[in-house]
Amino acid sequence: MSNSTTSSPLSAPAADRSLTRSQRLDRLPFTRKHGKLLGASGIGWALDAMDVGLISFVIAALSVHWELSKADGSLIASAGFAGMAIGASVGGLLADKIGRRSVFALTLLVYGLATGASALAMGVGALIVLRFIVGLGLGAELPVASTLMSEFAPARIRGRVIVWLEAFWALGWILAAVIGTFVAAASPTGWRWALAIGLVPAVYSLVVRLGMPESVRFLEQKGRHQEAEQVVRSFESAAGIEAPGAATDGVSANAAAAGVAATGVGAPHDAADVTVEARVAADEVGAIPAADTVDPTAGIWSKPLRARTAGLWAVWFCINLAYYGAFIWIPTLLVDRGFSLTQSFTFTLIITLAQIPGYAVAAWLIEVLGRRWTLTIFLSGSALAAISYGLADTEWTIIAAGCALSFFNLGAWGALYAIGPELYPTRVRGTGTGAAAAFGRVASMLAPFLVPVLLVTGGQVLVFVAFSIAFALAAAAAFTLPEQRGKALAE
């Protein structure tokens, strides 16, 4: 930690025009405006999780009410993941073309309407088609939302903010478990009412489109400098920072903003005025971190980025294979062990609650140990928990091992979503995170088919040993990624 003389932004009477817009955002404290953006993105994230979680309860309910075979259940689950693979890739590309906010709102609208329509499905075929459409929206939403939030979060706590964002997944999954337990399992048509609740994201898409700011880095890339300046000023105002020149030369805030906007991407007027640190700590409010040194024109598979992309794709593939293979099938596998549908859903609800402390610990560690170590530790813990769950044979051991799996696995997801956007420059940040997510969805598409095969071959023990190996491979791949704690995003 260097002894920077950069003053806290709270003590500055006016915005420093010697800083780029990205630096002005990175030095800010976490304000109420950041909180509103996190909340708006998080609600969308939770609704995504609710939808993904609901289908596991719907499949379990249909296995009882429709006598749904495991093969048909696999098709329903995999159709959604196939849509997610395409949606993640296309959504990332669109986010770099038309903006993060617009794509975020569009994804909510698509999967909300399709989920509501799924409640009217009269057969397996219709449900499969609708789940594919749902997946298109779900797959695009997560990488786009994490990219948007990463580009606004102060650099010193960016990783922690993204884990907080990912923690909304736990809220959504808990909501899915509550709906599954008390709605889907309540009657033969309960699953329809559960899916009908999935219409909520379609309404919320209007809130996102009208109430969230567009990424400053995206606006600058597209030459929309005045809009970018207005967004930065709104965040500085929330931190109590006056407009450039407002307190010193009598120039109006609007004129000053226009002057800064005219400087292109907000290049420093005098680089000597800026004190930049190689890496900033979480408590260094106002410090200016150095940006990640990577070619801003590089593609995700170009020489400077190919090692990062390969490592990130490996983690995404392995964690998706293990996570969705386990959590989509856990309610059904509990029914197979002889537990009633209500017992199965209740156990799953308890296991899901363990996600919350997992996120809390990951959010703390990610700015202490860093992204790479946090991700590796939580993936290693997931590997051990998966083996324990496969060997569990009593109610209390099933719940204990399931809670451990939930704790470590979701903490790992938080760290993964934090590190993804940090690996790429602005021009391909949405593309890079979306492509990695898309590759991971291929694994989540295969996982539901893999589980029945492993069950026949070696029972539930073999299923969770396979998932343990996948988590271990993900941990090894995670350790190859560069450490980005305390650095500014590459431009």
Side-chain angles (χ1 to χ4, degrees):
M1 185 184 304
S2 67
N3 296 319
S4 171
T5 59
T6 305
S7 63
S8 166
L10 291 177
S11 64
D16 188 345
R17 290 176 61 178
S18 69
L19 304 177
T20 66
R21 295 191 186 97
S22 296
Q23 290 173 330
R24 287 159 62 191
L25 287 174
D26 277 336
R27 68 172 183 163
L28 293 177
F30 190 85
T31 66
R32 180 175 296 181
K33 193 168 182 68
H34 287 100
K36 288 182 178 179
L37 180 60
L38 176 62
S41 302
I43 290 173
W45 202 282
L47 292 172
D48 194 323
M50 182 189 75
D51 198 289
V52 173
L54 272 178
I55 199 61
S56 65
F57 294 95
V58 169
I59 290 172
L62 292 180
S63 68
V64 175
H65 302 308
W66 281 10
E67 296 183 354
L68 188 74
S69 68
K70 283 187 170 56
D72 285 340
S74 297
L75 282 171
I76 293 170
S78 291
F81 294 130
M84 291 174 80
I86 297 172
S89 181
V90 174
L93 288 168
L94 284 176
D96 287 334
K97 298 293 183 184
I98 66 173
R100 284 68 159 128
R101 180 184 60 182
S102 297
V103 176
F104 187 20
L106 180 61
T107 61
L108 290 166
L109 181 65
V110 169
Y111 81 73
L113 291 176
T115 299
S118 298
L120 303 176
M122 300 306 294
V124 173
L127 201 53
I128 289 172
V129 171
L130 288 167
R131 287 308 300 177
F132 175 79
I133 298 173
V134 168
L136 292 174
L138 292 176
E141 191 257 320
L142 298 181
V144 172
S146 61
T147 297
L148 177 65
M149 198 66 229
S150 290
E151 292 178 335
F152 276 108
R156 63 189 178 81
I157 55 168
R158 184 177 56 245
R160 187 166 294 166
V161 170
I162 301 305
V163 178
W164 290 341
L165 173 64
E166 167 65 3
F168 280 87
W169 185 270
L171 300 181
W173 200 281
I174 290 168
L175 183 58
V178 170
I179 295 170
T181 303
F182 298 106
V183 179
S187 68
T189 60
W191 65 272
R192 294 187 185 276
W193 290 107
L195 289 176
I197 296 173
L199 276 168
V200 172
V203 179
Y204 187 66
S205 66
L206 295 175
V207 177
V208 170
R209 185 64 186 86
L210 297 175
M212 292 179 68
E214 182 54 89
S215 162
V216 171
R217 287 174 168 86
F218 170 79
L219 292 172
E220 289 184 335
Q221 284 281 320
K222 298 302 179 181
R224 295 156 62 180
H225 301 297
Q226 189 165 357
E227 290 178 64
E229 181 64 24
Q230 288 172 352
V231 174
V232 173
R233 281 298 311 129
S234 70
F235 277 83
E236 288 179 330
S237 177
I241 299 175
E242 299 176 6
T248 58
D249 59 11
V251 180
S252 71
N254 288 337
V260 177
T263 66
V265 295
H269 291 205
D270 182 1
D273 293 342
V274 182
T275 302
V276 178
E277 300 184 18
R279 197 186 298 273
V280 298
D283 60 352
E284 288 187 280
V285 179
I288 308 298
D292 183 27
T293 54
V294 63
D295 182 0
T297 64
I300 66 172
W301 285 109
S302 63
K303 187 174 181 180
L305 295 177
R306 67 178 58 149
R308 298 181 179 195
T309 298
L312 186 64
W313 281 34
V315 177
W316 265 95
F317 187 90
C318 292
I319 196 173
N320 270 273
L321 184 72
Y323 173 76
Y324 286 107
F327 283 89
I328 286 294
W329 280 105
I330 277 179
T332 302
L333 294 178
L334 288 171
V335 171
D336 288 348
R337 289 190 179 193
F339 297 104
S340 69
L341 194 63
T342 301
Q343 281 181 306
S344 167
F345 287 5
T346 301
F347 287 0
T348 304
L349 174 58
I350 294 171
I351 289 170
T352 302
L353 291 172
Q355 295 180 8
I356 296 175
Y359 284 125
V361 174
W364 175 68
L365 285 178
I366 202 164
E367 299 297 356
V368 177
L369 298 180
R371 286 80 161 118
R372 183 170 56 188
W373 270 109
T374 301
L375 183 55
T376 301
I377 289 171
F378 275 82
L379 286 169
S380 300
S382 298
L384 295 174
I387 290 179
S388 299
Y389 189 87
L391 296 174
D393 56 2
T394 63
E395 289 188 13
W396 77 267
T397 55
I398 288 172
I399 292 175
C403 285
L405 181 60
S406 190
F407 174 92
F408 283 109
N409 197 191
L410 276 298
W413 273 110
L416 179 59
Y417 272 107
I419 199 171
E422 296 178 338
L423 300 178
Y424 299 103
T426 300
R427 190 178 68 85
V428 293
R429 185 167 293 124
T431 301
T433 55
F439 187 67
R441 299 309 178 190
V442 174
S444 59
M445 184 170 54
L446 297 174
F449 291 105
L450 181 63
V451 170
V453 174
L454 293 175
L455 278 172
V456 172
T457 305
Q460 292 198 27
V461 173
L462 180 59
V463 170
F464 285 93
V465 166
F467 294 154
S468 177
I469 293 172
F471 281 130
L473 291 173
F479 207 69
T480 68
L481 298 173
E483 180 54 61
Q484 304 289 64
R485 178 175 61 86
K487 293 183 179 180
L489 293 174
E491 294 294 343

